[in-house]
Amino acid sequence: MSTFYVTTPIYYVNAEPHLGHAYTTIIGDALTRWHRLLGDDVKYLTGTDEHGLKIQQAADAVGKTAQAFTDEIAPQFAHAWERLNIANDDFIRTTESRHKVAVAELLQRCYDAGDIELDTYSGKYCVGCELYYTDDELVEVDGVADCCPIHKRPVETLDEENYFFRLSRFEDRLLDWYAAHPGAMKPDNRANEAIGLIKGGLRDFSISRTSLEWGIPLPWDPDHVTYVWFDALTNYLAAVGFGDPEQDYRTWWPVDYHLIGKDIVRQHCVYWPAMLMSAGVELPKGWGIGGWLLVDGEKMAKSGGNVVNPLDLIDTVGVDGFRYYVLAETPYGSDGDFSYEGLVAKYNSDLANNLGNLAARVATVVAKKCDGVGPAPRADSPLAAAAATAFEGAARAWADVAPSKALDATWSLIRATNAYLEANEPWKHEPGDAVNAVMGDALEALRIVSVLAFPAIPDTSQAIWERIGFTTDISEQRLPESAGWGGYPGGLGVTKGDPLFPRLTA
Ligand code: MSP
């Protein structure tokens, strides 16, 4: 059995979970569910990023200690992921001791390798990004100079004695590594941006602060606490036991995919691999770089005031309706425009009309023409080729971290089956062999659809599975076998049930 380890970014706890956080988390969930169907031994990790100035300030603003504040917000993320049916195997908080141990180990290794050195730094710092910016990266906003290009707020000037990570030493090694591992970063256009950052020249970055207490102290100089990004990135190793003498982190490492947003490419695709090289740890096998979900053309963020709470949306379209929209609407890597109208339109066309209608129609005809007992499919069904194409397309797309393509391939089988029913019109014919043959084929197609759609809409897939007569847990199906034509045995009781996706008006 091969292992498959996937991570999301760990989310800052200065804000409650929003649609932007849900986006990557749902993509990781679907991707890992697909790999469980493939029979891989999966570890899906998410968590919360709890140290640093930004969190300290958010805690101060409500008169709480940083620890009390993070203890309150972190469970809100865990709760949101439960509501969205996220099957993460682990949830890491950077305030946990397993994490602190791993950070100390990684720091010490880089220090021992001579890649961390003391220096003085004066620079313009954005607390929102927890990053220093150069003058030419800053922008003017409403006549105010020196604003962060992302948060559009003035940066602060900080003067500090810091330890620096000598990133500049890694330029050639990183370029060589990426050249030797084409396709490690997906999709290609985002990969090119990352390579551009390295080719643009790498500056050493500060990895410690003396002006801050809310963080992990450097093992060799405890007056300094670790810079949040050095701290945060290490969560991916901490969760698999790095630094713990009782565990071998290499059971899971190197990670298969770090799923990230396009705004944190520099940290994940430049800083992180350099840190790992310095520490003598293998580099990740892959990165999936997603775009942003935009609301009115702006990234959704607490500071932007345009936050959409995913939990409000599931009341209308259901958990699976929401998951499907997030996965299917926007090609991975591109920016997507979120709108409520868009959500309802996608729900009505793909879920209510295509999938919902197919399931209802099949059950209705089987009830009327087959005494409610599902017939077996034909071995030479015209739908068999459509099913094979759907599976191959979905498998290729999931391997490429392209959920929207995987679902389009899956939905091609739904469309083909609806067209097949319309061409044959079994509802107009007398019961008998001809109707049985068509309905057996349609049931088999629906069985395969429910397996292929499971990563995106797990509860609906299970419901369809049961309605066509299975009593097992659909998550126990294994690919590619379960996608092979002919798995529907026939002779099972088929039930209609309530509409899976009642039509909505926007
Ligand atoms: N804590 C860091 C990540 C550390 S990982 C070692 C962080 N946290 S964050 O909560 O601000 O953002 C986490 C992720 O959410 C980022 O990848 C970011 O791109 C993503 N999103 C936040 N808003 C988003 C949208 N509106 N759309 C899509 N994703 C966006 O950065």
Side-chain angles (χ1 to χ4, degrees):
M1 193 161 29
S2 45
T3 58
F4 189 68
Y5 176 32
V6 174
T7 66
T8 72
I10 48 170
Y11 302 107
Y12 285 130
V13 288
N14 64 326
E16 290 167 18
H18 61 62
L19 185 61
H21 303 132
Y23 181 65
T24 313
T25 312
I26 290 174
I27 288 169
D29 186 60
L31 180 65
T32 47
R33 282 178 188 269
W34 178 263
H35 278 264
R36 289 193 194 96
L37 289 177
L38 291 177
D40 290 349
D41 192 7
V42 168
K43 185 187 281 291
Y44 182 34
L45 174 71
T46 187
T48 42
D49 188 355
E50 307 190 4
H51 290 128
L53 193 51
K54 192 198 314 234
I55 310 296
Q56 179 72 64
Q57 287 179 345
D60 291 348
V62 290
K64 297 203 163 121
T65 64
Q67 186 66 57
F69 178 76
T70 58
D71 284 346
E72 226 165 79
I73 311 262
Q76 294 183 19
F77 279 85
H79 172 71
W81 306 151
E82 233 168 78
R83 295 273 316 272
L84 292 173
N85 210 353
I86 303 298
N88 53 300
D89 300 284
D90 197 354
F91 186 104
I92 191 162
R93 299 181 53 186
T94 55
T95 43
E96 288 173 50
S97 57
R98 61 172 170 162
H99 177 75
K100 295 176 185 167
V101 166
V103 172
E105 171 77 17
L106 195 72
L107 280 165
Q108 191 67 55
R109 285 196 191 197
C110 296
Y111 187 61
D112 293 345
D115 292 320
I116 292 179
E117 290 169 338
L118 198 61
D119 220 329
T120 308
Y121 192 79
S122 166
K124 306 221 166 110
Y125 192 75
C126 170
V127 174
C129 298
E130 302 273 14
L131 272 182
Y132 280 104
Y133 279 99
T134 53
D135 286 335
D136 56 334
E137 289 169 327
L138 298 172
V139 294
E140 189 178 309
V141 175
D142 299 333
V144 181
D146 288 353
C147 290
C148 163
I150 292 184
H151 291 87
K152 310 273 161 54
R153 284 190 311 238
V155 290
E156 297 176 21
T157 300
L158 293 186
D159 259 319
E160 277 191 288
E161 187 164 70
N162 284 177
Y163 284 93
F164 278 75
F165 181 76
R166 296 301 184 199
L167 184 67
S168 53
R169 295 176 187 162
F170 290 84
E171 210 168 299
D172 291 341
R173 288 166 66 186
L174 286 172
L175 288 173
D176 289 348
W177 192 89
Y178 279 119
H181 298 83
M185 295 181 281
K186 293 181 170 64
D188 285 346
N189 57 336
R190 296 281 172 217
N192 294 339
E193 285 172 25
I195 299 295
L197 287 176
I198 304 172
K199 287 192 172 151
L202 298 182
R203 282 176 288 135
D204 297 341
F205 66 93
S206 146
I207 60 116
S208 74
R209 304 274 181 274
T210 46
S211 53
L212 178 74
E213 278 177 15
W214 183 237
I216 300 174
L218 300 184
W220 63 89
D221 188 348
D223 290 342
H224 290 248
V225 303
T226 317
Y227 166 52
V228 292
W229 273 101
F230 205 106
D231 172 337
L233 288 159
T234 308
N235 89 86
Y236 304 130
L237 279 172
V240 291
F242 183 77
D244 177 353
E246 307 282 295
Q247 291 189 61
D248 184 357
Y249 72 96
R250 288 165 303 185
T251 307
W252 292 100
W253 197 264
V255 63
D256 288 84
Y257 284 107
H258 287 314
L259 300 178
I260 58 172
K262 65 177 186 179
D263 52 329
I264 54 177
V265 164
R266 181 189 298 277
Q267 294 90 339
H268 281 82
C269 304
V270 184
Y271 291 10
W272 179 232
M275 286 156 60
L276 294 172
M277 280 176 177
S278 169
V281 175
E282 259 189 274
L283 266 52
K285 286 187 218 159
W287 292 258
I289 306 167
W292 286 342
L293 277 187
L294 305 175
V295 178
D296 303 326
E298 289 281 332
K299 179 185 176 217
M300 189 180 329
K302 193 179 181 203
S303 49
N306 57 355
V307 175
V308 177
N309 183 338
L311 302 185
D312 296 341
L313 297 167
I314 64 178
D315 291 341
T316 320
V317 293
V319 172
D320 283 352
F322 176 66
R323 292 172 58 105
Y324 180 78
Y325 172 76
V326 162
L327 292 161
E329 176 79 351
T330 306
Y332 188 60
S334 304
D335 286 341
D337 234 322
F338 173 82
S339 74
Y340 184 69
E341 293 71 26
L343 172 67
V344 169
K346 191 81 180 152
Y347 169 99
N348 280 337
S349 74
D350 293 10
L351 298 174
N353 289 356
N354 277 330
L355 178 57
N357 265 355
L358 175 63
R361 213 174 206 187
V362 167
T364 304
V365 179
V366 170
K368 285 204 182 125
K369 309 277 177 179
C370 315
D371 288 333
V373 178
R378 287 179 292 188
D380 59 349
S381 166
L383 284 178
T389 308
F391 170 65
E392 283 155 22
R396 232 187 345 262
W398 285 118
D400 222 16
V401 195
S404 67
K405 282 191 196 156
L407 293 174
D408 191 48
T410 303
W411 256 246
S412 72
L413 180 55
I414 300 176
R415 291 189 291 267
T417 311
N418 271 325
Y420 178 68
L421 289 173
E422 269 144 36
N424 287 286
E425 299 186 311
W427 45 85
K428 286 193 180 162
H429 298 285
E430 290 305 313
D433 288 350
V435 168
N436 287 348
V438 170
M439 295 319 294
D441 291 350
L443 280 159
E444 171 61 348
L446 198 51
R447 183 192 67 81
I448 295 174
V449 162
S450 60
V451 176
L452 299 185
F454 172 76
I457 49 170
D459 285 348
T460 306
S461 284
Q462 179 68 35
I464 296 174
W465 192 248
E466 290 170 15
R467 286 177 189 201
I468 63 176
F470 293 105
T471 51
T472 48
D473 195 334
I474 193 171
S475 68
E476 290 160 8
Q477 294 303 298
R478 288 293 167 266
L479 293 171
E481 301 77 19
S482 190
W485 189 262
Y488 189 70
L492 305 182
V494 173
T495 45
K496 186 162 180 218
D498 293 334
L500 292 168
F501 298 103
R503 261 192 86 80
L504 293 172
T505 41

